[in-house]
Amino acid sequence: MTTRTNSLKTTMQTSKNYEVRDPQSSIETQTLAINVGPQHPSTHGVFRMNVVLDGEVVTSLKPVMGYLHRNHEQIAENMSYAASMPYTDRLDYFNSMTNNFGWALTVEKLAAIDVPERVEYVRVIMAELTRLVNHVSAIGFLLNDLGAFFTPVLYAFREREKILDIFEEVSGSRMMCNYFRFGGLRRDVTPAVLEKIRGIVNKFPAFLDEFETLLTKNEILCMRCQNVGILPRDLAVNASITGPLLRASGVNYDIRKVDGYSVYNRFEFKVPLGPKGDVYDRYYVRILEMRESLKILDQALKGIPAGEIMAKKMLPFVKSPRNFKPPVGEAYGRVEGPKGELGFYVVSDGTAQPWRYHVRAPSFINLTILEDMCRGQKLADAIVILGSIDIVLGEVDR
Amino acid sequence: MEFMDQIFVNLKSTVLTLAGGFLPPWAVILLCAAISLGVIAVIGPVTMMYLTLIERKVLARMQNRIGPNRTGPWGLLQPLADGIKMLTKEDIVPKNADRIVHLVAPILIVIPALLVFAVIPFGKNMIPADLSVGVLYFLSISSTTTIAIFSASWASRNKYSLLGGMRAVAQMISYEIPMVLSVVPILLVTQSLSTGAIVRAQGAYGGWGWFVFTPWGFAAFITFFLCAVAECNRSPFDLPEAESEIVAGFHTEYSGMKFALFYMAEFMNAFTLSALAATLFLGGWQGPWLPSWAWFFIKTYALIFIMLWFRGTLPRFRVDQMMNLAWKFLLPLSLINILVAGFWHFANPPLAIGGSIAMLWASGWIFTRLNRDYTPEKRTYLFGE
Amino acid sequence: MFFGSGVIKGMLVTLKAFAASYFRGPDKGGIFTVQYPEQRLAEKENFRNFPFLVYDKTPDNLRCVACDICAKECPPKCITIVREFDKDNKPLKRPAVFSIDHTVCMNCGICEEACPFDAIFMDHNFEIASTDRQGDLLLQKEALLKSNDYFNKIRPTDASAIDAKRAEAEAKKKAAEQAAAAKAAAAAAAPKLAAAAADKPAVPTEPPKTV
Amino acid sequence: MRIAVSDASFTPPRVQGRNTRKGLTTLSMMPPLEFIIKMGIYALMTVCVAGALLSVLFRNLFHAALALTGVLLGIAGIYLALHADFLAMIQVLIYVGAVMTLVIFAIMLTERFGDASLRQFNHQSWAALGGGILLLTFLVRMIQTTPWPVKNQAALASPAVTVVQLGEALLGPYVFPFEIISVILIAALIGAIVVARKDLEA
Amino acid sequence: MIIPLEHFLIFAAVLFVIGLCGTLVRRNIVGILMSIELMLNAVNINLVAFSRSTSLDPVTGQIFAIFVVALAAAAVAVGLAIVIALYRVRKTICADEISLLKW
């Protein structure tokens, strides 16, 4: 039991519901420093938090990351542009399609490739399907941290399986899809697959309603999630938080609307915003976002045109991707991933290998404000707040 | 029906008369006690083993999967497999743990779990020991587990188990009081503490004599059942062993057979507490056609199913919410309940029924309004363009 | 409405799932578990596992010509190819050594895309667990070889498209050979004609039209 | 000593000894059973004494608390031997359930690292031991010499004090002490909270 | 009653003396409180033994024992509250170091 160090001397007025008073003034109690360590049932992968507890209340929390660092950016600088496409699957291994989308978009912006209509529609469909998969599993894992013994996760996984079967049929692998190519796709989508997607999209709202009756009005869930880990608007904007976290705090910023990249500006959908920005809002904003994605999928499935799947410009490079040499210059392409703004920054010096390659990972940036949200809350809440941020360590550590 | 009903009692008396032939009378008394003990020593662990299987099967079915079906037909040998696994697992004791207490704690937990079987009326004339202080015996013995859990967590010198131990003690004490108070109306009405007498008192006018059908009985049943779930650290109240927060709570540092003892104690507590709830409120072995012991097991396993159902659905309380529910909701409710039971007992019928239901409904409404900040808020979500 | 209503409604959902698991079919909320070793899921055609080399009819006339494109294209560099040399070390169009390291390969399918000779494709067989990490996870050429009709069996549409393309290329090549043979014969006959009709200008035979 | 063997339990009526209609059996004519029970009680007594000694002599306070819990459970057993069923259950419920938990909490809150190595006993240990033994001999002599007005054998086998009798006595002749006790408990409760509360007006 | 009254009284006396020695010898206040518990229980045994064997109305002894148990619980509660408050201020609970009435 380490006695309290003097580092807590300064009186910190952070979140309003608990102020850390100067310890020496009152009778000093022993604090408990515990490692919510890399090997812990609910840290969503290899992630450590050094938590200093006063009783059950968290006074300081230092996240420790880097256990899953695979040097992704350095590897990409020694390989051709196309060769690092399968590595982007491993960034946020829950939504490989949106990662591919981001990388393909960036290189298309760099080499000024225009993409056929049918490819744009298929990309939007695949991106929205990954958003469904990610949000459903994120809610499932949040409920797991709250203690519901695996039932919500398994309901979520039942729906996720159907979508992953679609990915397997289209791209060849359930999670490591490697399906997008610069200027097009690896393989065309057959009408049978489109039929199956339409079947899933028609049945998904019924599942969502059942999921909501199980969770949204559940008193214990409301007790555990409301007014817990409140993220004020200005802190969210200053810390450049993006994704459902930001929208739960009420900031209207969705890259699909802001950039309108690919064909998103053709679809009519709304962006849900949360009133308070606590764990409950993040949960409910994700459910509303799923309903919006279903609207987009409906419209995309209706409007998908026929046509070839690879841009004319890139046909010679299909057989020999490594001698694709984009012009000198730099490009930053970003995509509204399920976890936030997923950006790829690439600098090319005209050779076949990028000179500099950097990934803006939303989970990593969303993690920076974990301590501000957790200070003053209980240990049980700190775990739930971490769950509500919905991080994937592959993306955080790259 | 009488034959099926008393089949076990007659079996035992035939064995005793046979033994009576060549044994002195005092040895026959000992043999009778020994038979009862033997039956309990078999029922306890066997119910525990098959409760683990039932739990995994029921939870699986709630989650659209099948549950263990590889070991034996429909997975019936799974408890055997678990038992062997537990026996062969290495038993690790942390280096600076307090060795003696680390060994003693699991034993201290299992003893009350087994002692408590003595008072449960399995059927007509099938009570191992019909003590005149039966219910009080049950409650006081099951209150000793608090010390055992705390010594388990304190001895394993592990921060997570310390947190788990503190939560366990806080939870056990704050849910013991509403549990004892919710039993008091039953004792008022039956004027006896013995479980056998309580079950006999519920036999009146067919199945409708059960205490759960009276207003105060229903409120007491809800309070008692919630406290029972909290007492054996099961689902919405499983803070002491919250996997997602404090790894495995007070039995983090236990493995092998010691962990199996904790596991056995938890399930036997679940069985005995639902058995007591069934005895006190659902008329123990009272029931129209089936033999008495069949009714007892049906009611007990119905309550156990509800406990498993809780586990399959509900997320976990936080420490302060759990304490708040006990002290600010269940305790006042059970106190009011004693008042209502008295009123029900002495007022004449029309006023009694209406009055007690009104009193209970009003108190329930008042307490939820007093705990307003723990009730869910209404939220409106607007859509940015 | 009252305090516990949300919890109770939620519990009814799980109770419905519990009942459905006994009485409903797999797609209407019931149990859809596939008991793996006994029952199996239908295999998707585009599924890709570790690559394999295709040979036509007999294992030694391999399609692979050791051009080393796939080894260069492979992101994790798990393919090693050594070209075969005949007696007086003239390079032959066949690999002496072709090995894929299964511990490195992430079955991304880029080698299949990049191979100009349709020699390497992604397999469907995923039950290839091995007990020894070093030994048999580095598959040599013999272990990688699979016949063309195995390829047709697991991936009918792709295989038939590729066979059609190869057959047509075959036909074109044969036609080109005949044309070349005819031209050679004509060229051999030409000097006689030239001698006989030195004075007649050669008729420009137009080249065989490629279809 | 009678076993709580009433007719509703597992034993068939025919085999027991003389079965008085009140459902109690007197086993005077079964010496071996009496012998077993007597040995049981003496064993329980020695366990209690041993536990008491341990709880005084243990260096580690937590072990002392566990030993004391054992003693208290033993004493509950002695109450059963003295036909005081209700009191035995009260003893287990209040002492082992609440008081010992409180003591263990206090030990846990106040134990600092390395406390066990300090000297646990002060200098007057020998004097206290001598005085204690002196007192013990005096008491035992006094117990053996005075003629206790023990009731005759038949009355001794009277049935246990039932809860109903206790209830009537508590609210009959002893209603005044009963109310005073509740006042004292409330006072103790408030006192404990006020003293142990972390002062928050900093 | 197969066990004569004297044996119970001797047993209670032994327990009482052990509790007394514990109180005098222990330095840790919580230890002293535990020994006082022991003495109170010894007295309770005497009460119950006498009520069982000698008194005309067997109920009085047990009533008195119940009152003693209630009082002992209250005493321990207040005692430990004081100990915890004391420990916070002086960080020691050795009885002989807390002799000043004021700190």
Side-chain angles (χ1 to χ4, degrees):
Chain A
M1 303 250 198
T2 58
T3 54
R4 188 185 288 234
T5 58
N6 305 350
S7 68
L8 283 174
K9 275 208 101 42
T10 57
T11 313
M12 285 168 283
Q13 175 79 22
T14 47
S15 59
K16 59 192 178 316
N17 46 22
Y18 181 82
E19 92 288 342
V20 179
R21 49 185 164 31
D22 180 1
Q24 299 319 334
S25 69
S26 75
I27 302 169
E28 185 226 335
T29 55
Q30 275 176 324
T31 58
L32 188 68
I34 61 171
N35 256 324
V36 182
Q39 220 277 330
H40 183 83
S42 73
T43 48
H44 298 265
V46 200
F47 172 71
R48 187 173 105 191
M49 301 192 283
N50 293 354
V51 184
V52 175
L53 286 175
D54 169 16
E56 282 265 347
V57 176
V58 172
T59 46
S60 97
L61 179 140
K62 290 285 171 289
V64 175
M65 294 170 248
Y67 289 95
L68 202 58
H69 179 60
R70 298 155 297 185
N71 210 350
H72 169 65
E73 293 174 3
Q74 186 63 29
I75 292 172
E77 282 158 15
N78 301 328
M79 281 194 307
S80 70
Y81 285 82
S84 63
M85 181 63 87
Y87 284 90
T88 54
D89 293 342
R90 271 93 177 155
L91 266 178
D92 172 356
Y93 41 76
F94 247 86
N95 355 355
S96 63
M97 287 290 193
T98 26
N99 302 344
N100 293 355
F101 200 171
W103 179 231
L105 211 63
T106 316
V107 174
E108 277 151 16
K109 191 180 283 186
L110 178 69
I113 308 163
D114 56 353
V115 180
E117 276 296 299
R118 181 175 177 84
V119 171
E120 293 288 9
Y121 271 79
V122 170
R123 285 184 175 178
V124 162
I125 289 172
M126 291 306 158
E128 289 313 316
L129 282 177
T130 16
R131 197 181 311 281
L132 289 183
V133 160
N134 176 78
H135 283 339
V136 155
S137 340
I139 292 171
F141 290 128
L142 175 66
L143 262 297
N144 238 4
D145 293 346
L146 281 168
F149 176 69
F150 280 109
T151 314
V153 175
L154 283 163
Y155 287 166
F157 274 17
R158 181 186 61 202
E159 298 313 314
R160 177 170 174 263
E161 283 312 316
K162 293 175 188 150
I163 296 175
L164 291 188
D165 286 348
I166 301 287
F167 288 160
E168 182 175 1
E169 209 155 328
V170 159
S171 71
S173 160
R174 292 156 47 87
M175 287 174 72
M176 301 297 152
C177 299
N178 183 13
Y179 178 56
F180 289 44
R181 293 293 174 270
F182 305 131
L185 301 168
R186 162 80 174 80
R187 187 180 287 113
D188 194 358
V189 175
T190 61
V193 168
L194 284 178
E195 252 337 288
K196 275 201 196 125
I197 297 177
R198 194 165 284 120
I200 291 178
V201 167
N202 296 345
K203 277 207 281 293
F204 211 86
F207 158 73
L208 266 186
D209 300 341
E210 184 204 36
F211 211 54
E212 276 210 49
T213 40
L214 179 66
L215 298 175
T216 308
K217 293 223 175 24
N218 189 324
E219 271 79 6
I220 303 174
L221 182 85
C222 295
M223 260 201 255
R224 282 292 300 274
C225 293
Q226 286 183 345
N227 306 325
V228 164
I230 290 172
L231 176 60
R233 279 174 64 109
D234 46 4
L235 176 61
V237 171
N238 297 344
S240 75
I241 305 291
T242 52
L245 241 67
L246 188 65
R247 291 190 283 278
S249 303
V251 176
N252 179 5
Y253 181 76
D254 183 334
I255 296 166
R256 292 175 293 179
K257 289 280 186 195
V258 167
D259 280 4
Y261 57 92
S262 172
V263 282
Y264 271 107
N265 39 31
R266 284 196 206 142
F267 302 121
E268 181 265 334
F269 63 98
K270 296 199 286 291
V271 175
L273 302 174
K276 266 192 147 155
D278 54 10
V279 171
Y280 189 79
D281 279 355
R282 287 175 216 133
Y283 151 75
Y284 202 66
V285 158
R286 288 201 174 95
I287 288 204
L288 294 175
E289 269 186 17
M290 276 200 272
R291 291 193 189 278
E292 297 307 316
S293 301
L294 286 171
K295 281 202 205 109
I296 299 173
L297 277 167
D298 257 347
Q299 295 162 44
L301 283 171
K302 286 194 187 63
I304 184 162
E308 83 281 346
I309 53 156
M310 183 54 85
K312 286 275 172 305
K313 219 168 129 182
M314 295 301 290
L315 276 177
F317 301 111
V318 168
K319 271 298 171 193
S320 59
R322 72 182 182 293
N323 36 24
F324 163 65
K325 296 182 176 52
V328 175
E330 62 171 19
Y332 176 71
R334 57 181 186 170
V335 158
E336 176 64 35
K339 294 192 172 43
E341 174 192 329
L342 175 67
F344 288 84
Y345 171 70
V346 69
V347 174
S348 117
D349 55 1
T351 65
Q353 295 174 344
W355 184 75
R356 172 74 177 100
Y357 165 89
H358 170 68
V359 177
R360 181 215 187 269
S363 305
F364 175 71
I365 292 169
N366 292 353
L367 256 184
T368 47
I369 41 121
L370 182 62
E371 167 154 30
D372 306 314
M373 290 201 281
C374 289
R375 185 175 297 121
Q377 310 279 343
K378 303 246 178 323
L379 172 65
D381 296 336
I383 304 280
V384 169
I385 293 162
L386 176 68
S388 71
I389 299 175
D390 178 20
I391 57 166
V392 166
L393 262 299
E395 195 174 44
V396 168
D397 300 340
R398 285 187 295 281
Chain B
M1 234 29 274
E2 191 54 24
F3 170 71
M4 275 307 289
D5 193 279
Q6 294 303 317
I7 190 164
F8 293 111
V9 180
N10 300 348
L11 195 70
K12 176 168 183 170
S13 54
T14 42
V15 164
L16 287 177
T17 39
L18 280 177
F22 48 88
L23 276 180
W26 59 270
V28 169
I29 299 278
L30 282 187
L31 182 65
C32 142
I35 291 177
S36 310
L37 280 181
V39 164
I40 293 177
V42 163
I43 282 186
V46 163
T47 42
M48 171 265 168
M49 282 163 59
Y50 279 95
L51 267 183
T52 51
L53 176 65
I54 291 169
E55 169 170 39
R56 287 176 63 177
K57 277 279 186 185
V58 163
L59 281 182
R61 285 288 172 170
M62 282 183 190
Q63 297 163 354
N64 296 109
R65 51 190 175 87
I66 295 178
N69 63 352
R70 292 283 164 171
T71 48
W74 300 296
L76 285 180
L77 297 186
Q78 183 68 29
L80 214 63
D82 287 350
I84 294 168
K85 176 194 75 172
M86 285 294 179
L87 282 173
T88 51
K89 271 257 176 79
E90 186 208 355
D91 193 352
I92 302 161
V93 179
K95 186 164 62 64
N96 49 18
D98 187 335
R99 302 194 76 79
I100 313 149
V101 181
H102 192 265
L103 174 72
V104 160
I107 301 165
L108 276 182
I109 279 191
V110 174
I111 292 175
L114 268 174
L115 277 179
V116 154
F117 272 89
V119 156
I120 295 174
F122 292 96
K124 193 185 279 126
N125 298 343
M126 283 163 67
I127 303 172
D130 188 2
L131 299 177
S132 63
V133 281
V135 174
L136 192 59
Y137 168 84
F138 189 104
L139 295 174
S140 55
I141 293 284
S142 70
S143 78
T144 55
T145 49
T146 320
I147 291 191
I149 287 184
F150 194 79
S151 53
S153 70
W154 174 252
S156 42
R157 286 288 187 281
N158 167 333
K159 286 175 182 153
Y160 285 138
S161 53
L162 186 70
L163 276 174
M166 297 237 275
R167 287 181 178 186
V169 169
Q171 172 172 318
M172 302 280 263
I173 288 184
S174 41
Y175 277 89
E176 214 172 286
I177 297 165
M179 186 150 110
V180 173
L181 285 175
S182 69
V183 171
V184 166
I186 306 282
L187 313 180
L188 288 186
V189 171
T190 50
Q191 273 118 30
S192 141
L193 275 165
S194 115
T195 44
I198 290 173
V199 173
R200 277 192 294 277
Q202 294 178 45
Y205 27 89
W208 296 107
W210 298 348
F211 287 132
V212 83
F213 295 128
T214 58
W216 53 269
F218 184 70
F221 175 65
I222 299 285
T223 322
F224 185 85
F225 192 68
L226 281 182
C227 296
V229 169
E231 204 65 31
C232 45
N233 299 338
R234 282 195 63 83
S235 171
F237 304 98
D238 57 357
L239 283 108
E241 65 222 27
E243 302 86 23
S244 57
E245 289 135 28
I246 38 173
V247 188
F250 56 89
H251 44 73
T252 319
E253 294 294 345
Y254 283 88
S255 61
M257 207 44 209
K258 287 190 197 149
F259 179 72
L261 285 183
F262 277 111
Y263 207 48
M264 179 195 284
E266 190 201 319
F267 273 106
M268 275 200 275
N269 274 343
F271 177 78
T272 37
L273 278 163
S274 352
L276 185 72
T279 314
L280 295 178
F281 297 98
L282 304 177
W285 39 262
Q286 303 278 4
W289 305 288
L290 294 175
S292 62
W293 41 269
W295 272 113
F296 169 78
F297 280 108
I298 288 170
K299 289 176 191 162
T300 310
Y301 277 103
L303 288 178
I304 287 177
F305 175 77
I306 294 176
M307 279 192 185
L308 301 180
W309 190 10
F310 278 162
R311 176 146 197 219
T313 331
L314 299 180
R316 191 179 294 126
F317 278 108
R318 205 177 47 200
V319 177
D320 55 332
Q321 290 156 359
M322 172 262 292
M323 303 272 279
N324 164 64
L325 179 69
W327 293 100
K328 293 195 190 131
F329 188 75
L330 290 182
L331 184 58
L333 191 69
S334 46
L335 284 173
I336 297 264
N337 205 7
I338 298 173
L339 191 69
V340 166
F343 178 75
W344 165 275
H345 199 65
F346 292 107
N348 38 40
L351 181 65
I353 301 169
S356 45
I357 293 176
M359 264 199 265
L360 278 179
W361 186 264
S363 54
W365 186 75
I366 290 165
F367 295 141
T368 29
R369 277 197 58 74
L370 287 179
N371 293 324
R372 240 189 337 283
D373 53 6
Y374 283 96
T375 47
E377 294 162 16
K378 287 280 169 292
R379 289 277 173 87
T380 55
Y381 290 86
L382 35 91
F383 287 87
E385 192 18 70
Chain C
M1 54 284 189
F2 60 87
F3 181 68
S5 66
V7 165
I8 291 167
K9 273 207 275 293
M11 284 170 70
L12 289 181
V13 169
T14 22
L15 189 69
K16 196 158 64 65
F18 179 75
S21 71
Y22 286 104
F23 306 114
R24 288 276 188 71
D27 47 6
K28 286 196 294 306
I31 286 197
F32 51 92
T33 324
V34 171
Q35 303 281 356
Y36 169 65
E38 293 86 17
Q39 311 151 357
R40 285 167 184 270
L41 273 175
E43 227 167 65
K44 307 265 181 327
E45 198 204 321
N46 291 335
F47 172 59
R48 43 183 160 85
N49 204 354
F50 290 103
F52 67 94
L53 291 173
V54 181
Y55 62 84
D56 299 328
K57 289 177 273 311
T58 57
D60 55 10
N61 62 2
L62 214 58
R63 284 191 188 166
C64 173
V65 291
C67 64
D68 212 22
I69 288 180
C70 58
K72 292 199 197 65
E73 278 299 328
C74 172
K77 300 289 180 283
C78 64
I79 302 174
T80 48
I81 299 173
V82 173
R83 182 180 291 275
E84 195 177 335
F85 290 86
D86 60 3
K87 316 188 271 333
D88 43 19
N89 57 41
K90 198 155 59 50
L92 278 171
K93 280 185 172 274
R94 259 216 320 273
V97 168
F98 190 109
S99 75
I100 293 181
D101 186 347
H102 270 201
T103 53
V104 172
C105 171
M106 58 180 178
N107 45 51
C108 59
I110 285 187
C111 50
E112 176 183 318
E113 287 173 50
C115 174
F117 300 97
D118 312 322
I120 186 165
F121 290 100
M122 307 310 279
D123 198 349
H124 277 193
N125 166 22
F126 53 86
E127 281 136 345
I128 38 174
S130 82
T131 50
D132 157 25
R133 209 150 55 98
Q134 305 309 343
D136 50 10
L137 280 182
L138 180 67
L139 276 83
Q140 293 307 339
K141 182 170 71 171
E142 297 65 29
L144 291 169
L145 281 177
K146 292 250 170 70
S147 71
N148 189 12
D149 35 32
Y150 169 79
F151 178 44
N152 282 0
K153 184 164 65 59
I154 56 170
R155 290 169 65 170
T157 48
D158 295 350
S160 52
I162 288 171
D163 287 352
K165 187 162 67 89
R166 289 180 65 81
E168 177 218 310
E170 203 71 36
K172 197 148 54 60
K173 199 143 58 72
K174 214 184 271 60
E177 268 151 22
Q178 274 147 14
K183 198 145 58 10
K192 279 209 293 317
L193 275 180
D199 51 3
K200 196 154 53 98
V203 169
T205 59
E206 23 89 13
K209 194 162 62 54
T210 60
V211 111
Chain D
M1 167 68 195
R2 54 136 191 91
I3 323 169
V5 175
S6 68
D7 62 352
S9 86
F10 271 31
T11 45
R14 273 189 320 289
V15 171
Q16 284 177 48
R18 188 169 49 75
N19 175 15
T20 52
R21 219 35 256 125
K22 284 192 303 307
L24 299 173
T25 62
T26 55
L27 293 141
S28 52
M29 57 99 181
M30 296 213 182
L33 217 53
E34 268 181 28
F35 176 71
I36 292 171
I37 293 161
K38 200 183 277 190
M39 279 310 117
I41 295 172
Y42 283 133
L44 202 57
M45 284 190 186
T46 42
V47 162
C48 284
V49 168
L53 272 175
L54 279 182
S55 91
V56 170
L57 296 176
F58 261 134
R59 300 189 63 78
N60 177 341
L61 218 53
F62 190 69
H63 292 180
L66 284 187
L68 186 62
T69 322
V71 171
L72 295 175
L73 287 173
I75 289 172
I78 300 288
Y79 287 153
L80 280 179
L82 289 164
H83 299 293
D85 300 349
F86 185 72
L87 194 63
M89 296 311 143
I90 286 291
Q91 158 101 348
V92 172
L93 188 65
I94 292 186
Y95 267 119
V96 177
V99 169
M100 281 321 291
T101 317
L102 204 59
V103 165
I104 288 182
F105 244 64
I107 292 171
M108 196 271 296
L109 279 176
T110 53
E111 186 185 296
R112 271 178 315 121
F113 214 64
D115 260 1
S117 57
L118 299 171
R119 206 162 39 73
Q120 283 300 357
F121 307 109
N122 48 29
H123 298 299
Q124 57 207 12
S125 46
W126 296 113
L129 203 62
I133 290 170
L134 208 64
L135 178 64
L136 188 61
T137 46
F138 165 71
L139 281 175
V140 169
R141 288 248 351 94
M142 184 267 290
I143 289 169
Q144 272 151 1
T145 50
T146 52
W148 302 105
V150 177
K151 288 184 279 187
N152 50 36
Q153 202 54 19
L156 278 183
S158 66
V161 173
T162 65
V163 180
V164 177
Q165 286 171 307
L166 275 178
E168 276 144 12
L170 263 178
L171 289 180
Y174 296 98
V175 73
F176 185 67
F178 182 72
E179 297 309 330
I180 294 291
I181 281 284
S182 56
V183 167
I184 291 172
L185 282 176
I186 296 291
L189 199 66
I190 296 165
I193 291 171
V194 163
V195 166
R197 202 160 52 98
K198 229 192 287 188
D199 49 359
L200 283 180
E201 71 278 7
Chain E
M1 199 161 74
I2 28 181
I3 301 249
L5 175 63
E6 283 73 13
H7 295 191
F8 282 110
L9 300 186
I10 292 168
F11 167 65
V14 168
L15 272 188
F16 182 83
V17 165
I18 293 173
L20 185 67
C21 294
T23 326
L24 299 178
V25 155
R26 273 268 184 200
R27 287 185 69 206
N28 186 328
I29 299 183
V30 180
I32 295 170
L33 274 175
M34 277 168 28
S35 315
I36 292 173
E37 279 307 305
L38 208 55
M39 289 156 70
L40 284 168
N41 274 304
V43 165
N44 262 351
I45 294 171
N46 268 359
L47 283 171
V48 175
F50 277 121
S51 88
R52 176 69 191 146
S53 60
T54 53
S55 75
L56 297 162
D57 175 4
V59 171
T60 49
Q62 292 193 10
I63 296 284
F64 210 85
I66 289 174
F67 287 155
V68 167
V69 167
L71 269 178
V76 165
V78 176
L80 290 176
I82 294 168
V83 160
I84 290 170
L86 204 66
Y87 175 77
R88 277 223 198 87
V89 172
R90 300 290 295 278
K91 262 187 280 319
T92 157
I93 41 169
C94 285
D96 42 28
E97 281 167 20
I98 303 158
S99 47
L100 301 173
L101 271 181
K102 167 174 71 55
W103 58 71

